[in-house]
Amino acid sequence: MGRLDGKVAIVTGGASGIGRAAVERFVAEGARVIVGDTDSEGIGALIGQLGHNSIDGAEVDVRDEAAVERMVNQAIRRFGRLDIAVNNAGVGGFSPIQDYPLEDWDRVLGISLTGTFLCLKHEAKRLIAQGTGGSIINIASLNAIQATEGFAAYCAAKAGVTMLTKVAALELGRHKIRVNAVGPGLVHTPATAGMLAIPGLEDAFIHEAPIGRAGEPEDIANLLTYLASDESSLMTAQTLYIDGGASVNKYPELFGFFGVG
Ligand SMILES: NC(=O)c1ccc[n+]([C@@H]2O[C@H](COP(=O)([O-])OP(=O)(O)OC[C@H]3O[C@@H](n4cnc5c(N)ncnc54)[C@H](O)[C@@H]3O)[C@@H](O)[C@H]2O)c1
């Protein structure tokens, strides 16, 4: 018996990294999943791996409200209901504030914060109409609470996600819809491969993390499974940091690693 038997989930950014690990784990626990992503090839590969009975793909840019609404409707059309949503699609960027291009700022905020809001909005609307409660999980970051050189847009977006999570939990609790967030530290995914290739950067992160290692997508999927399941039925409005304890220290000084004077 799986921990998510009979449940239907949406995972955005589900074609890669943390989202992909969540899709794999949710299916292993008995859920059926809509994978929402801009990467149609990645979605196709995942459907090839897990089979079309358990997952379906929605090509969606989370900044596009009409596409987000279609993704939510697809969960109902294909699998008959909605119980869980992981709003995971997000991107970062690096620039000193005085040089930060507005276009890059808008991209980071648009995908990581506004995209999360649009998904949350349409998932909440659907779950309220369905009347059976549900669990919505937004992906924040250690950078929601840990200031990091060069990450002005990303830190602001993820801090926004944690407060959005609290407001949503406050409003939606009356409908038995729980809203939590997860704040990973540094995790090995395609998104961080470039950054982690900079000599010494991973060691610098590990030095600040009492557990002494970076994360794997499966570490985050374990926590997401708990938050998605009924085991966490009393938990809402929280951001749970899963970072090897790095939040008690400081983030590595990235200007040095990125050659900013
Ligand atoms: N990897 C880390 O160290 C880390 C740490 C903290 C938080 N996070 C957060 O975890 C989430 C997943 O990150 P990851 O490291 O797995 O990244 P990733 O790049 O491996 O995966 C992100 C996925 O999101 C999709 N995506 C990008 N823009 C999109 C859009 N506009 N609409 C729909 N899908 C889109 C990509 O195609 C990709 O499949 C992000 O929100 C990220 O900020 C990651």
Side-chain angles (χ1 to χ4, degrees), residues 34-99:
I34 297 288
V35 182
D37 206 295
T38 46
D39 176 7
S40 52
E41 257 180 49
I43 292 175
L46 205 45
I47 292 176
Q49 178 192 332
L50 297 174
H52 209 251
N53 288 337
S54 300
I55 67 172
D56 199 4
E59 202 177 327
V60 59
D61 183 327
V62 293
R63 292 169 291 187
D64 176 348
E65 182 163 11
V68 167
E69 195 172 6
R70 281 197 299 276
M71 172 181 72
V72 173
N73 289 339
Q74 192 176 334
I76 312 309
R77 215 175 47 249
R78 182 69 215 287
F79 295 132
R81 55 184 295 113
L82 181 66
D83 303 284
I84 300 159
V86 181
N87 299 321
N88 163 77
V91 294
F94 178 91
S95 173
I97 285 175
Q98 66 273 22
D99 299 325

Short mmCIF file of all heavy atoms in Angstrom, two decimals, residues 34-99:
data_model
loop_
_atom_site.label_atom_id
_atom_site.label_comp_id
_atom_site.label_asym_id
_atom_site.label_seq_id
_atom_site.Cartn_x
_atom_site.Cartn_y
_atom_site.Cartn_z
N ILE A 34 0.18 14.80 -12.98
CA ILE A 34 0.32 15.67 -14.16
C ILE A 34 1.66 16.40 -14.02
O ILE A 34 1.91 17.09 -13.02
CB ILE A 34 -0.81 16.72 -14.22
CG1 ILE A 34 -2.18 16.06 -14.37
CG2 ILE A 34 -0.55 17.73 -15.35
CD1 ILE A 34 -2.46 15.44 -15.73
N VAL A 35 2.53 16.22 -15.01
CA VAL A 35 3.84 16.87 -15.01
C VAL A 35 3.73 18.13 -15.85
O VAL A 35 3.57 18.07 -17.07
CB VAL A 35 4.91 15.93 -15.63
CG1 VAL A 35 6.28 16.60 -15.58
CG2 VAL A 35 4.92 14.60 -14.91
N GLY A 36 3.81 19.29 -15.21
CA GLY A 36 3.72 20.56 -15.93
C GLY A 36 5.10 21.14 -16.12
O GLY A 36 5.83 21.35 -15.15
N ASP A 37 5.48 21.40 -17.37
CA ASP A 37 6.84 21.89 -17.62
C ASP A 37 6.88 22.53 -19.00
O ASP A 37 6.03 22.26 -19.85
CB ASP A 37 7.83 20.70 -17.55
CG ASP A 37 9.24 21.14 -17.15
OD1 ASP A 37 9.87 21.87 -17.94
OD2 ASP A 37 9.71 20.76 -16.07
N THR A 38 7.88 23.38 -19.23
CA THR A 38 8.11 23.92 -20.58
C THR A 38 8.87 22.92 -21.45
O THR A 38 8.89 23.06 -22.67
CB THR A 38 8.94 25.22 -20.50
OG1 THR A 38 10.03 25.00 -19.61
CG2 THR A 38 8.11 26.40 -20.01
N ASP A 39 9.49 21.94 -20.82
CA ASP A 39 10.40 21.01 -21.51
C ASP A 39 9.62 19.77 -21.98
O ASP A 39 9.53 18.78 -21.25
CB ASP A 39 11.53 20.63 -20.52
CG ASP A 39 12.47 19.59 -21.10
OD1 ASP A 39 12.34 19.24 -22.29
OD2 ASP A 39 13.33 19.10 -20.33
N SER A 40 9.10 19.85 -23.21
CA SER A 40 8.26 18.74 -23.69
C SER A 40 9.08 17.46 -23.87
O SER A 40 8.57 16.36 -23.64
CB SER A 40 7.55 19.13 -24.99
OG SER A 40 8.49 19.60 -25.92
N GLU A 41 10.35 17.60 -24.24
CA GLU A 41 11.19 16.39 -24.39
C GLU A 41 11.38 15.70 -23.05
O GLU A 41 11.31 14.47 -22.94
CB GLU A 41 12.57 16.80 -24.91
CG GLU A 41 12.76 16.52 -26.37
CD GLU A 41 14.14 16.93 -26.84
OE1 GLU A 41 15.13 16.57 -26.18
OE2 GLU A 41 14.21 17.63 -27.86
N GLY A 42 11.64 16.48 -22.02
CA GLY A 42 11.81 15.92 -20.67
C GLY A 42 10.54 15.25 -20.19
O GLY A 42 10.60 14.17 -19.57
N ILE A 43 9.39 15.86 -20.50
CA ILE A 43 8.11 15.24 -20.11
C ILE A 43 7.97 13.91 -20.83
O ILE A 43 7.60 12.89 -20.24
CB ILE A 43 6.92 16.17 -20.48
CG1 ILE A 43 6.93 17.43 -19.63
CG2 ILE A 43 5.60 15.43 -20.31
CD1 ILE A 43 5.84 18.45 -20.03
N GLY A 44 8.30 13.91 -22.13
CA GLY A 44 8.18 12.68 -22.93
C GLY A 44 9.06 11.57 -22.37
O GLY A 44 8.63 10.41 -22.28
N ALA A 45 10.26 11.91 -21.96
CA ALA A 45 11.18 10.91 -21.40
C ALA A 45 10.61 10.31 -20.11
O ALA A 45 10.70 9.10 -19.87
CB ALA A 45 12.54 11.54 -21.13
N LEU A 46 10.00 11.17 -19.31
CA LEU A 46 9.43 10.71 -18.04
C LEU A 46 8.22 9.80 -18.27
O LEU A 46 8.05 8.78 -17.59
CB LEU A 46 9.06 11.93 -17.20
CG LEU A 46 8.99 11.81 -15.69
CD1 LEU A 46 10.16 11.06 -15.10
CD2 LEU A 46 8.89 13.21 -15.08
N ILE A 47 7.41 10.17 -19.27
CA ILE A 47 6.25 9.32 -19.60
C ILE A 47 6.75 7.96 -20.09
O ILE A 47 6.23 6.91 -19.71
CB ILE A 47 5.33 9.99 -20.64
CG1 ILE A 47 4.65 11.22 -20.02
CG2 ILE A 47 4.27 9.01 -21.16
CD1 ILE A 47 3.80 12.04 -20.97
N GLY A 48 7.83 7.98 -20.90
CA GLY A 48 8.43 6.72 -21.37
C GLY A 48 8.90 5.87 -20.20
O GLY A 48 8.78 4.64 -20.22
N GLN A 49 9.43 6.50 -19.18
CA GLN A 49 9.97 5.78 -18.02
C GLN A 49 8.86 5.24 -17.10
O GLN A 49 8.93 4.10 -16.63
CB GLN A 49 10.87 6.74 -17.23
CG GLN A 49 11.48 6.16 -15.96
CD GLN A 49 12.12 7.28 -15.10
OE1 GLN A 49 12.56 8.31 -15.63
NE2 GLN A 49 12.16 7.08 -13.81
N LEU A 50 7.84 6.07 -16.84
CA LEU A 50 6.86 5.71 -15.80
C LEU A 50 5.53 5.20 -16.36
O LEU A 50 4.73 4.63 -15.61
CB LEU A 50 6.59 6.93 -14.90
CG LEU A 50 7.81 7.43 -14.11
CD1 LEU A 50 7.48 8.72 -13.37
CD2 LEU A 50 8.31 6.39 -13.12
N GLY A 51 5.31 5.39 -17.66
CA GLY A 51 4.10 4.86 -18.27
C GLY A 51 2.96 5.86 -18.24
O GLY A 51 2.82 6.64 -17.30
N HIS A 52 2.13 5.80 -19.28
CA HIS A 52 1.09 6.80 -19.46
C HIS A 52 -0.10 6.59 -18.53
O HIS A 52 -0.96 7.46 -18.38
CB HIS A 52 0.64 6.82 -20.93
CG HIS A 52 0.14 8.14 -21.37
ND1 HIS A 52 -1.18 8.39 -21.63
CD2 HIS A 52 0.78 9.32 -21.55
CE1 HIS A 52 -1.34 9.65 -21.97
NE2 HIS A 52 -0.17 10.25 -21.93
N ASN A 53 -0.17 5.43 -17.87
CA ASN A 53 -1.28 5.22 -16.93
C ASN A 53 -1.11 6.04 -15.67
O ASN A 53 -2.08 6.45 -15.03
CB ASN A 53 -1.38 3.74 -16.53
CG ASN A 53 -1.90 2.89 -17.67
OD1 ASN A 53 -2.56 3.42 -18.56
ND2 ASN A 53 -1.58 1.61 -17.65
N SER A 54 0.18 6.29 -15.30
CA SER A 54 0.45 6.97 -14.03
C SER A 54 0.68 8.46 -14.18
O SER A 54 0.47 9.21 -13.23
CB SER A 54 1.69 6.37 -13.36
OG SER A 54 1.50 5.02 -13.11
N ILE A 55 1.19 8.87 -15.35
CA ILE A 55 1.47 10.30 -15.48
C ILE A 55 0.97 10.81 -16.84
O ILE A 55 0.80 10.06 -17.79
CB ILE A 55 2.96 10.66 -15.30
CG1 ILE A 55 3.82 10.10 -16.43
CG2 ILE A 55 3.50 10.19 -13.97
CD1 ILE A 55 5.25 10.61 -16.36
N ASP A 56 0.77 12.12 -16.86
CA ASP A 56 0.43 12.79 -18.12
C ASP A 56 1.20 14.10 -18.13
O ASP A 56 1.55 14.63 -17.06
CB ASP A 56 -1.08 13.03 -18.19
CG ASP A 56 -1.55 13.29 -19.62
OD1 ASP A 56 -0.72 13.22 -20.55
OD2 ASP A 56 -2.75 13.58 -19.79
N GLY A 57 1.47 14.61 -19.31
CA GLY A 57 2.25 15.83 -19.41
C GLY A 57 1.41 17.03 -19.81
O GLY A 57 0.47 16.90 -20.58
N ALA A 58 1.76 18.18 -19.26
CA ALA A 58 1.14 19.44 -19.68
C ALA A 58 2.27 20.40 -20.00
O ALA A 58 3.06 20.73 -19.12
CB ALA A 58 0.28 20.01 -18.55
N GLU A 59 2.34 20.79 -21.28
CA GLU A 59 3.37 21.76 -21.64
C GLU A 59 2.88 23.13 -21.19
O GLU A 59 1.89 23.64 -21.72
CB GLU A 59 3.63 21.71 -23.14
CG GLU A 59 4.99 22.27 -23.48
CD GLU A 59 5.31 22.17 -24.96
OE1 GLU A 59 4.86 21.21 -25.62
OE2 GLU A 59 6.01 23.08 -25.44
N VAL A 60 3.54 23.69 -20.20
CA VAL A 60 3.04 24.93 -19.61
C VAL A 60 4.20 25.82 -19.18
O VAL A 60 5.19 25.34 -18.63
CB VAL A 60 2.12 24.61 -18.39
CG1 VAL A 60 2.85 23.83 -17.32
CG2 VAL A 60 1.55 25.88 -17.76
N ASP A 61 4.06 27.11 -19.47
CA ASP A 61 4.94 28.11 -18.86
C ASP A 61 4.13 28.69 -17.71
O ASP A 61 3.05 29.25 -17.94
CB ASP A 61 5.30 29.20 -19.89
CG ASP A 61 6.28 30.22 -19.33
OD1 ASP A 61 6.22 30.51 -18.12
OD2 ASP A 61 7.11 30.73 -20.10
N VAL A 62 4.62 28.56 -16.48
CA VAL A 62 3.81 28.94 -15.32
C VAL A 62 3.50 30.43 -15.27
O VAL A 62 2.70 30.88 -14.46
CB VAL A 62 4.45 28.47 -13.99
CG1 VAL A 62 4.46 26.95 -13.90
CG2 VAL A 62 5.85 29.05 -13.80
N ARG A 63 4.12 31.23 -16.16
CA ARG A 63 3.79 32.66 -16.23
C ARG A 63 2.52 32.91 -17.05
O ARG A 63 2.03 34.03 -17.09
CB ARG A 63 4.95 33.44 -16.85
CG ARG A 63 6.18 33.48 -15.98
CD ARG A 63 7.38 34.03 -16.74
NE ARG A 63 7.83 33.10 -17.77
CZ ARG A 63 8.94 33.25 -18.50
NH1 ARG A 63 9.69 34.32 -18.31
NH2 ARG A 63 9.29 32.36 -19.40
N ASP A 64 2.04 31.89 -17.74
CA ASP A 64 0.90 32.01 -18.65
C ASP A 64 -0.36 31.51 -17.94
O ASP A 64 -0.57 30.30 -17.79
CB ASP A 64 1.22 31.18 -19.91
CG ASP A 64 0.07 31.16 -20.91
OD1 ASP A 64 -1.05 31.57 -20.57
OD2 ASP A 64 0.32 30.68 -22.04
N GLU A 65 -1.20 32.44 -17.49
CA GLU A 65 -2.34 32.05 -16.64
C GLU A 65 -3.29 31.08 -17.35
O GLU A 65 -3.76 30.12 -16.73
CB GLU A 65 -3.10 33.29 -16.15
CG GLU A 65 -4.26 32.91 -15.23
CD GLU A 65 -4.80 34.05 -14.39
OE1 GLU A 65 -4.44 35.21 -14.63
OE2 GLU A 65 -5.61 33.75 -13.47
N ALA A 66 -3.55 31.32 -18.63
CA ALA A 66 -4.48 30.43 -19.34
C ALA A 66 -3.91 29.01 -19.41
O ALA A 66 -4.64 28.03 -19.26
CB ALA A 66 -4.75 30.97 -20.74
N ALA A 67 -2.60 28.90 -19.62
CA ALA A 67 -1.97 27.57 -19.69
C ALA A 67 -1.99 26.89 -18.32
O ALA A 67 -2.18 25.67 -18.22
CB ALA A 67 -0.53 27.71 -20.21
N VAL A 68 -1.81 27.67 -17.27
CA VAL A 68 -1.87 27.11 -15.91
C VAL A 68 -3.28 26.56 -15.63
O VAL A 68 -3.45 25.45 -15.11
CB VAL A 68 -1.47 28.17 -14.86
CG1 VAL A 68 -1.82 27.72 -13.44
CG2 VAL A 68 0.02 28.50 -14.96
N GLU A 69 -4.29 27.32 -16.04
CA GLU A 69 -5.68 26.88 -15.83
C GLU A 69 -5.94 25.58 -16.61
O GLU A 69 -6.57 24.65 -16.11
CB GLU A 69 -6.64 27.99 -16.28
CG GLU A 69 -8.04 27.78 -15.79
CD GLU A 69 -8.94 28.98 -16.06
OE1 GLU A 69 -8.50 29.95 -16.73
OE2 GLU A 69 -10.09 28.94 -15.61
N ARG A 70 -5.40 25.52 -17.84
CA ARG A 70 -5.57 24.29 -18.64
C ARG A 70 -4.91 23.09 -17.96
O ARG A 70 -5.43 21.98 -17.97
CB ARG A 70 -4.97 24.47 -20.04
CG ARG A 70 -5.85 25.26 -21.01
CD ARG A 70 -5.43 25.06 -22.46
NE ARG A 70 -4.07 25.51 -22.73
CZ ARG A 70 -3.74 26.78 -23.01
NH1 ARG A 70 -4.66 27.72 -23.05
NH2 ARG A 70 -2.48 27.11 -23.24
N MET A 71 -3.72 23.34 -17.35
CA MET A 71 -3.01 22.25 -16.66
C MET A 71 -3.86 21.68 -15.52
O MET A 71 -3.95 20.47 -15.33
CB MET A 71 -1.67 22.79 -16.13
CG MET A 71 -0.92 21.83 -15.23
SD MET A 71 0.62 22.55 -14.61
CE MET A 71 0.00 23.77 -13.44
N VAL A 72 -4.48 22.58 -14.75
CA VAL A 72 -5.32 22.13 -13.63
C VAL A 72 -6.53 21.36 -14.17
O VAL A 72 -6.88 20.29 -13.66
CB VAL A 72 -5.74 23.34 -12.76
CG1 VAL A 72 -6.76 22.90 -11.70
CG2 VAL A 72 -4.51 23.98 -12.10
N ASN A 73 -7.15 21.88 -15.23
CA ASN A 73 -8.30 21.18 -15.83
C ASN A 73 -7.90 19.81 -16.35
O ASN A 73 -8.69 18.86 -16.32
CB ASN A 73 -8.91 22.02 -16.96
CG ASN A 73 -9.63 23.23 -16.42
OD1 ASN A 73 -10.02 23.26 -15.25
ND2 ASN A 73 -9.77 24.26 -17.25
N GLN A 74 -6.67 19.71 -16.84
CA GLN A 74 -6.18 18.43 -17.38
C GLN A 74 -6.13 17.35 -16.30
O GLN A 74 -6.39 16.18 -16.57
CB GLN A 74 -4.78 18.64 -17.98
CG GLN A 74 -4.32 17.46 -18.83
CD GLN A 74 -2.99 17.76 -19.48
OE1 GLN A 74 -2.64 18.91 -19.71
NE2 GLN A 74 -2.23 16.71 -19.78
N ALA A 75 -5.80 17.75 -15.08
CA ALA A 75 -5.77 16.77 -13.98
C ALA A 75 -7.16 16.16 -13.79
O ALA A 75 -7.31 14.95 -13.60
CB ALA A 75 -5.30 17.44 -12.69
N ILE A 76 -8.18 17.00 -13.91
CA ILE A 76 -9.56 16.53 -13.72
C ILE A 76 -9.99 15.67 -14.91
O ILE A 76 -10.56 14.58 -14.75
CB ILE A 76 -10.54 17.73 -13.57
CG1 ILE A 76 -9.99 18.75 -12.56
CG2 ILE A 76 -11.94 17.24 -13.21
CD1 ILE A 76 -9.58 18.19 -11.24
N ARG A 77 -9.69 16.18 -16.11
CA ARG A 77 -10.10 15.47 -17.33
C ARG A 77 -9.44 14.09 -17.40
O ARG A 77 -10.07 13.09 -17.69
CB ARG A 77 -9.69 16.30 -18.54
CG ARG A 77 -10.66 16.22 -19.68
CD ARG A 77 -10.32 17.13 -20.84
NE ARG A 77 -8.95 17.09 -21.25
CZ ARG A 77 -8.08 18.09 -21.09
NH1 ARG A 77 -8.46 19.21 -20.52
NH2 ARG A 77 -6.82 18.00 -21.49
N ARG A 78 -8.15 14.05 -17.08
CA ARG A 78 -7.39 12.81 -17.27
C ARG A 78 -7.53 11.85 -16.08
O ARG A 78 -7.71 10.65 -16.23
CB ARG A 78 -5.92 13.18 -17.48
CG ARG A 78 -4.99 12.02 -17.73
CD ARG A 78 -5.24 11.34 -19.08
NE ARG A 78 -5.00 9.90 -18.97
CZ ARG A 78 -3.82 9.32 -18.87
NH1 ARG A 78 -2.73 10.04 -18.92
NH2 ARG A 78 -3.71 8.03 -18.74
N PHE A 79 -7.47 12.40 -14.84
CA PHE A 79 -7.45 11.51 -13.68
C PHE A 79 -8.63 11.71 -12.72
O PHE A 79 -8.70 11.09 -11.67
CB PHE A 79 -6.13 11.70 -12.91
CG PHE A 79 -4.90 11.29 -13.70
CD1 PHE A 79 -3.79 12.12 -13.78
CD2 PHE A 79 -4.85 10.06 -14.34
CE1 PHE A 79 -2.66 11.73 -14.49
CE2 PHE A 79 -3.72 9.67 -15.06
CZ PHE A 79 -2.63 10.51 -15.14
N GLY A 80 -9.52 12.66 -13.05
CA GLY A 80 -10.80 12.76 -12.34
C GLY A 80 -10.83 13.61 -11.09
O GLY A 80 -11.91 13.87 -10.55
N ARG A 81 -9.69 14.06 -10.58
CA ARG A 81 -9.70 14.84 -9.35
C ARG A 81 -8.34 15.51 -9.15
O ARG A 81 -7.43 15.32 -9.97
CB ARG A 81 -10.00 13.96 -8.14
CG ARG A 81 -9.05 12.76 -8.00
CD ARG A 81 -9.43 11.86 -6.85
NE ARG A 81 -9.29 12.55 -5.57
CZ ARG A 81 -10.32 12.87 -4.78
NH1 ARG A 81 -11.54 12.56 -5.13
NH2 ARG A 81 -10.12 13.48 -3.65
N LEU A 82 -8.22 16.27 -8.07
CA LEU A 82 -6.93 16.85 -7.69
C LEU A 82 -6.82 16.80 -6.17
O LEU A 82 -7.78 17.13 -5.45
CB LEU A 82 -6.82 18.32 -8.17
CG LEU A 82 -5.49 19.02 -7.85
CD1 LEU A 82 -4.33 18.37 -8.60
CD2 LEU A 82 -5.56 20.51 -8.22
N ASP A 83 -5.65 16.37 -5.67
CA ASP A 83 -5.44 16.30 -4.22
C ASP A 83 -4.18 17.03 -3.78
O ASP A 83 -4.12 17.55 -2.66
CB ASP A 83 -5.30 14.83 -3.78
CG ASP A 83 -6.50 14.00 -4.17
OD1 ASP A 83 -7.54 14.13 -3.52
OD2 ASP A 83 -6.38 13.23 -5.16
N ILE A 84 -3.16 17.02 -4.65
CA ILE A 84 -1.83 17.49 -4.26
C ILE A 84 -1.27 18.37 -5.37
O ILE A 84 -1.45 18.06 -6.56
CB ILE A 84 -0.87 16.28 -4.10
CG1 ILE A 84 -1.36 15.30 -3.04
CG2 ILE A 84 0.56 16.73 -3.83
CD1 ILE A 84 -0.78 13.89 -3.19
N ALA A 85 -0.58 19.45 -5.01
CA ALA A 85 0.14 20.22 -6.02
C ALA A 85 1.49 20.62 -5.47
O ALA A 85 1.60 21.07 -4.33
CB ALA A 85 -0.66 21.46 -6.41
N VAL A 86 2.53 20.41 -6.27
CA VAL A 86 3.87 20.87 -5.91
C VAL A 86 4.26 21.96 -6.91
O VAL A 86 4.49 21.68 -8.09
CB VAL A 86 4.90 19.72 -5.94
CG1 VAL A 86 6.28 20.24 -5.54
CG2 VAL A 86 4.48 18.60 -5.00
N ASN A 87 4.26 23.20 -6.45
CA ASN A 87 4.61 24.33 -7.31
C ASN A 87 6.12 24.54 -7.23
O ASN A 87 6.61 25.26 -6.38
CB ASN A 87 3.81 25.56 -6.88
CG ASN A 87 2.32 25.30 -7.01
OD1 ASN A 87 1.89 24.66 -8.00
ND2 ASN A 87 1.53 25.73 -6.07
N ASN A 88 6.80 23.86 -8.14
CA ASN A 88 8.25 23.69 -8.06
C ASN A 88 9.00 24.46 -9.14
O ASN A 88 10.19 24.76 -8.95
CB ASN A 88 8.54 22.18 -8.14
CG ASN A 88 9.97 21.85 -8.47
OD1 ASN A 88 10.84 21.94 -7.63
ND2 ASN A 88 10.22 21.48 -9.73
N ALA A 89 8.33 24.78 -10.25
CA ALA A 89 9.04 25.47 -11.34
C ALA A 89 9.65 26.76 -10.81
O ALA A 89 8.97 27.57 -10.17
CB ALA A 89 8.09 25.77 -12.49
N GLY A 90 10.94 26.94 -11.04
CA GLY A 90 11.60 28.14 -10.56
C GLY A 90 12.97 28.25 -11.20
O GLY A 90 13.56 27.25 -11.61
N VAL A 91 13.46 29.48 -11.31
CA VAL A 91 14.79 29.71 -11.88
C VAL A 91 15.52 30.75 -11.04
O VAL A 91 14.90 31.56 -10.34
CB VAL A 91 14.72 30.22 -13.34
CG1 VAL A 91 14.14 29.16 -14.27
CG2 VAL A 91 13.92 31.51 -13.44
N GLY A 92 16.85 30.72 -11.14
CA GLY A 92 17.67 31.69 -10.44
C GLY A 92 18.38 32.61 -11.42
O GLY A 92 18.10 32.60 -12.63
N GLY A 93 19.28 33.40 -10.90
CA GLY A 93 20.07 34.31 -11.72
C GLY A 93 21.14 34.90 -10.83
O GLY A 93 21.02 34.86 -9.61
N PHE A 94 22.19 35.42 -11.46
CA PHE A 94 23.29 36.01 -10.67
C PHE A 94 23.67 37.35 -11.25
O PHE A 94 23.96 37.47 -12.44
CB PHE A 94 24.51 35.07 -10.69
CG PHE A 94 25.68 35.63 -9.93
CD1 PHE A 94 25.85 35.34 -8.58
CD2 PHE A 94 26.60 36.47 -10.55
CE1 PHE A 94 26.91 35.88 -7.87
CE2 PHE A 94 27.67 37.02 -9.85
CZ PHE A 94 27.83 36.72 -8.50
N SER A 95 23.68 38.38 -10.41
CA SER A 95 24.22 39.68 -10.81
C SER A 95 24.32 40.57 -9.58
O SER A 95 23.43 40.55 -8.72
CB SER A 95 23.30 40.36 -11.83
OG SER A 95 23.76 41.69 -12.07
N PRO A 96 25.37 41.37 -9.48
CA PRO A 96 25.37 42.42 -8.46
C PRO A 96 24.18 43.35 -8.69
O PRO A 96 23.81 43.59 -9.86
CB PRO A 96 26.69 43.16 -8.70
CG PRO A 96 27.53 42.23 -9.51
CD PRO A 96 26.59 41.38 -10.30
N ILE A 97 23.60 43.86 -7.63
CA ILE A 97 22.38 44.68 -7.74
C ILE A 97 22.56 45.85 -8.71
O ILE A 97 21.68 46.12 -9.53
CB ILE A 97 21.97 45.20 -6.34
CG1 ILE A 97 21.35 44.06 -5.53
CG2 ILE A 97 20.96 46.36 -6.46
CD1 ILE A 97 21.01 44.41 -4.11
N GLN A 98 23.70 46.53 -8.62
CA GLN A 98 23.86 47.76 -9.42
C GLN A 98 23.88 47.47 -10.92
O GLN A 98 23.70 48.38 -11.74
CB GLN A 98 25.11 48.55 -8.99
CG GLN A 98 26.44 47.89 -9.23
CD GLN A 98 26.88 46.96 -8.09
OE1 GLN A 98 26.04 46.48 -7.32
NE2 GLN A 98 28.18 46.70 -7.99
N ASP A 99 24.10 46.21 -11.30
CA ASP A 99 24.14 45.83 -12.72
C ASP A 99 22.96 44.93 -13.12
O ASP A 99 22.91 44.46 -14.26
CB ASP A 99 25.44 45.06 -13.02
CG ASP A 99 26.68 45.90 -12.75
OD1 ASP A 99 26.61 47.12 -12.98
OD2 ASP A 99 27.69 45.34 -12.26
#
